[in-house]
């Protein structure tokens, strides 16, 4: 299946009623974070099915999907990259020189077209399984941390979210350092989508790696960090502990109002 055939297959699935729902859900109205994005109205399982049937799409054809106007076509392109990355990270080929080169080519392409992951679903369904996975496997690309740092330090919301949610994979593998690194940098980000991402990744660190590390972070930031980020971070804490951290936030809010 070629990129042109993929696009044709997806156009045939257009659902105008579902399209309106998705455009509201992904905030595409003027002034919203997804302003101007266009949807076909295709549900994610349908897009996944097409992506899986096209997993052998040559890498040089993927940009035709990533640069497409339609949101779901771009998602299909990113999903194809995640499935290809999964194949390239199988144990039996993990250290193979040719496979390493293919992985690095895929990552470079993803970074080149990172701007096309311009909504939270495109980021969340691709970044952990591509960049996050890449941080855990052999590569000939130097300064991998610097690459993620550059994304985190960008003034583009989606680049920052890519850096933050990529750490989901490294945290799952038992390394919380990347999640804590970018949570520290992005904890006071002005956008709600980053509040959710930071809190989500902190929650994963507490759940999978080291709760005390997150508690140390909260000692420093709980009183001033966005409430959404705090709620996400402590979501799996026992109720009494959750209330204690929320009280710290409330006390600071009260004190601020009183000044």
């Amino acid at each position: 299946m070629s990129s042109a055939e993929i696009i044709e297959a997806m156009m045939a699935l257009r659902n105008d009623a579902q399209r309106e729902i998705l455009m509201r859900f992904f905030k595409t109205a003027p002034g919203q974070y997804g302003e101007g994005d266009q949807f076909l109205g295709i549900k994610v399982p349908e897009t996944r099915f097409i992506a899986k049937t096209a997993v052998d799409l040559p890498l040089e054809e993927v940009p035709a999907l990533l640069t497409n106007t339609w949101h779901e076509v771009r998602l299909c392109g990113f999903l194809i990259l995640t499935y290809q990355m999964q194949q390239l990270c199988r144990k039996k080929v993990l250290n193979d020189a040719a496979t390493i080169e293919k992985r690095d080519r895929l990552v470079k392409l993803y970074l080149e077209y990172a701007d096309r992951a311009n909504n939270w679903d495109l980021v969340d369904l691709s970044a952990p399984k591509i960049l996050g996975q890449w941080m855990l496997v052999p590569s000939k690309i130097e300064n991998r941390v610097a690459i993620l740092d550059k994304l985190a330090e960008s003034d583009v919301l989606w680049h920052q979210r890519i850096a933050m949610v990529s750490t989901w994979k490294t945290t799952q593998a038992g390394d919380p350092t990347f999640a804590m690194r970018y949570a520290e940098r992005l904890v006071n980000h002005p956008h709600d989508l980053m509040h959710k991402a930071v809190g989500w990744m902190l929650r994963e660190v507490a759940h999978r790696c080291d709760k005390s590390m997150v508690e140390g972070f909260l000692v420093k930031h709980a009183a001033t960090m966005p409430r959404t980020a705090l709620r996400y971070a402590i979501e799996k804490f026992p109720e009494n502990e959750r209330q204690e951290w929320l009280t710290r936030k409330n006390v600071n809010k009260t004190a601020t109002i009183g000044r």
Side-chain angles (χ1 to χ4, degrees):
M1 180 178 286
S2 67
S3 58
E5 290 171 328
I6 291 170
I7 294 169
E8 183 180 359
M10 297 193 77
M11 293 297 293
L13 293 173
R14 177 169 176 153
N15 182 325
D16 286 338
Q18 181 69 15
R19 175 176 181 269
E20 294 301 318
I21 294 171
L22 291 176
M23 290 183 71
R24 288 194 298 271
F25 183 73
F26 286 104
K27 309 296 184 185
T28 63
Q32 296 183 316
Y33 60 74
E35 180 177 352
D37 203 356
Q38 296 295 317
F39 286 76
L40 288 167
I42 303 173
K43 294 182 179 180
V44 173
E46 294 175 297
T47 302
R48 283 191 182 278
F49 177 80
I50 293 175
K52 287 179 179 178
T53 63
V55 70
D56 293 326
L57 184 73
L59 199 60
E60 57 268 22
E61 285 209 46
V62 176
L65 304 178
L66 301 183
T67 57
N68 193 272
T69 298
W70 300 106
H71 183 102
E72 295 93 337
V73 175
R74 298 198 305 280
L75 175 58
C76 188
F78 284 119
L79 288 175
I80 288 170
L81 291 181
T82 68
Y83 297 143
Q84 290 184 353
M85 189 68 170
Q86 186 178 40
Q87 289 184 341
L88 294 170
C89 290
R90 291 174 296 176
K91 286 185 178 180
K92 65 179 181 180
V93 297
L94 195 63
N95 297 299
D96 176 71
T99 302
I100 292 172
E101 182 179 350
K102 289 178 182 179
R103 279 200 305 263
D104 286 350
R105 283 181 56 224
L106 189 154
V107 167
K108 287 177 180 178
L109 186 142
Y110 181 74
L111 291 168
E112 182 180 353
Y113 290 94
D115 286 342
R116 304 304 294 166
N118 57 350
N119 214 311
W120 60 264
D121 63 320
L122 301 177
V123 171
D124 295 1
L125 292 174
S126 64
K129 294 181 179 180
I130 297 175
L131 293 189
Q133 183 64 47
W134 173 60
M135 297 300 290
L136 299 169
V137 298
S139 171
K140 292 185 178 180
I141 298 176
E142 298 181 355
N143 300 318
R144 284 190 273 185
V145 177
I147 289 172
L148 286 188
D149 282 354
K150 184 177 180 180
L151 290 168
E153 293 162 3
S154 169
D155 59 1
V156 177
L157 168 65
W158 307 117
H159 290 182
Q160 294 167 323
R161 188 168 173 111
I162 285 172
M164 192 70 249
V165 304
S166 290
T167 69
W168 189 13
K169 200 70 175 180
T170 50
T171 295
Q172 285 180 323
D175 182 358
T177 57
F178 291 105
M180 302 309 298
R181 180 184 184 90
Y182 299 125
E184 189 71 42
R185 297 185 184 197
L186 297 167
V187 63
N188 290 312
H189 193 284
H191 203 289
D192 180 67
L193 285 175
M194 286 307 303
H195 303 169
K196 293 175 180 177
V198 169
W200 172 24
M201 293 303 107
L202 289 172
R203 182 186 69 201
E204 290 300 302
V205 170
H207 178 59
R208 297 177 182 275
C209 295
D210 189 343
K211 182 182 176 185
S212 66
M213 185 177 286
V214 174
E215 289 171 333
F217 180 94
L218 295 178
V219 167
K220 181 179 179 181
H221 294 291
T224 56
M225 68 193 289
R227 190 173 184 84
T228 298
L230 176 59
R231 284 190 172 277
Y232 270 59
I234 62 177
E235 185 176 2
K236 294 188 177 181
F237 283 20
E239 180 62 21
N240 63 315
E241 294 180 23
R242 290 183 67 257
Q243 292 305 319
E244 181 181 345
W245 288 114
L246 290 171
T247 297
R248 295 194 188 199
K249 179 68 176 174
N250 291 336
V251 167
N252 180 73
K253 182 178 180 181
T254 302
T256 302
I257 293 172
R259 285 202 294 269

